Amino acid sequence: MPERADARAKWQMRLWVRLYYLFNHHNGRFAGRLEPATERLLHELFWNYAWSKSTVERANLRYVWFIQGSENHDLMDLSNAFLALQALAQLPDYRDRRLRDGNTPAAHVRAWTQYYRAWADERVARGLLVECASSIYGKYSIPELINLADYSADAVLRRKMTMLLDILWADWAVEQLDGVRGGGKSRVYQGKYARFGNRDSYRQMAAVLRGAGPWTNGRHGHTNSGFVYCLATTDYRLPDMVRQLINRQQRGSYVYVSRRPAKM
């Protein structure tokens, strides 16, 4: 049932999507490493999840700043459904099926492609993420953008998401000293995340992208997020400029002023 797929898979969909795009038999990066029975089960999961989450109406551009639940939940809900349907739209057993709004997977893919193109443009133009520099929730948003940058079939969308990631990491690099971020933040709660810079998920994600230090020792969040594995297997690389900002700002102090959060 769609509801069961939602309840069991929401927090893990980014990882299931990535595993599928890496290992499926027809166009995976390492094609053929999924057992056929496992691949069929993933197809069924993708269909159920997308049935629950996706409508062409929700992908209308007037909703590009509408956030259902919270920003990271919105990305988990919708970008995973988009990439799941993109996979199904190529399969004879699924491409002619109708989702709950009466549209085919291909129609949904076209709508979400335009939506996420505009989504990336709007975030760059109006202040980046609403959950800005969130030590907790960044690890649930950035991997969704990584998956879009890696696996969208649309070259323009892949490029826009890559450029958005470049800007997000440049923003992080300017505001951090030795991985500890200053500046304005949103959705950063009192307690361990606020008190200790080493609990910041952006610091942890940057360590994975930079190849800096061990990342399998449990310091990188609970396993259902899957973010470590997304970042460890991505083709995305931090630009040289961002690496230079990181290295330079670890060696001195400076003054930086930021106004947060974004459009909201």
Side-chain angles (χ1 to χ4, degrees):
M1 294 293 291
E3 295 79 11
R4 182 177 180 185
D6 180 31
R8 290 178 178 267
K10 177 188 179 84
W11 292 91
Q12 300 171 344
M13 279 299 293
R14 65 177 68 84
L15 185 55
W16 297 127
V17 164
R18 175 158 287 270
L19 289 171
Y20 181 83
Y21 277 93
L22 282 172
F23 301 130
N24 77 79
H25 81 276
H26 53 94
N27 63 358
R29 177 74 176 272
F30 304 98
R33 295 190 182 185
L34 279 177
E35 292 288 341
T38 302
E39 192 164 322
R40 288 193 296 272
L41 287 173
L42 285 174
H43 295 159
E44 184 179 353
L45 173 65
F46 286 179
W47 177 262
N48 289 343
Y49 193 80
W51 178 283
S52 174
K53 298 295 185 183
S54 181
T55 65
V56 168
E57 169 61 21
R58 177 60 180 83
N60 192 291
L61 297 187
R62 69 175 175 269
Y63 297 126
V64 76
W65 277 105
F66 176 80
I67 296 172
Q68 54 190 56
S70 65
E71 187 173 53
N72 71 91
H73 282 258
D74 187 88
L75 278 167
M76 284 191 286
D77 286 342
L78 303 179
S79 69
N80 286 318
F82 166 35
L83 291 177
L85 285 169
Q86 182 180 266
L88 297 179
Q90 305 175 52
L91 304 176
D93 289 344
Y94 288 91
R95 63 191 177 200
D96 295 325
R97 290 192 187 185
R98 301 281 170 167
L99 287 124
R100 60 191 168 100
D101 65 353
N103 289 292
T104 63
H108 283 242
V109 170
R110 288 192 295 270
W112 286 119
T113 298
Q114 296 304 313
Y115 176 91
Y116 277 111
R117 282 185 180 186
W119 194 99
D121 290 342
E122 282 289 303
R123 268 60 186 178
V124 171
R126 300 184 186 275
L128 302 176
L129 300 182
V130 172
E131 293 174 340
C132 173
S134 172
S135 55
I136 305 171
Y137 298 110
K139 65 180 176 287
Y140 304 132
S141 294
I142 295 299
E144 309 299 342
L145 305 183
I146 290 277
N147 279 354
L148 288 169
D150 282 348
Y151 297 129
S152 171
D154 181 73
V156 174
L157 178 54
R158 291 198 307 273
R159 181 62 178 153
K160 285 180 180 289
M161 281 297 166
T162 299
M163 291 190 291
L164 173 59
L165 285 163
D166 290 347
I167 294 171
L168 284 164
W169 284 111
D171 186 54
W172 174 84
V174 168
E175 290 195 328
Q176 60 82 37
L177 285 172
D178 197 19
V180 179
R181 189 170 187 166
K185 302 178 176 70
S186 59
R187 295 208 78 187
V188 178
Y189 305 137
Q190 293 182 7
K192 61 182 181 179
Y193 287 100
R195 293 200 309 269
F196 304 110
N198 65 354
R199 303 287 180 89
D200 188 325
S201 65
Y202 277 92
R203 183 185 190 186
Q204 297 161 357
M205 289 188 289
V208 178
L209 289 175
R210 296 170 61 207
W215 52 269
T216 57
N217 60 359
R219 293 190 300 108
H220 295 280
H222 42 79
T223 55
N224 72 2
S225 72
F227 78 90
V228 169
Y229 306 101
C230 290
L231 272 65
T233 58
T234 183
D235 290 332
Y236 176 76
R237 296 293 183 268
L238 294 174
D240 289 342
M241 178 197 71
V242 173
R243 292 180 177 271
Q244 292 167 11
L245 284 170
I246 293 169
N247 294 333
R248 185 179 73 235
Q249 291 167 10
Q250 288 177 349
R251 296 196 294 267
S253 60
Y254 62 100
V255 175
Y256 180 80
V257 178
S258 64
R259 183 175 64 181
R260 307 289 184 175
K263 183 180 179 181
M264 298 300 180

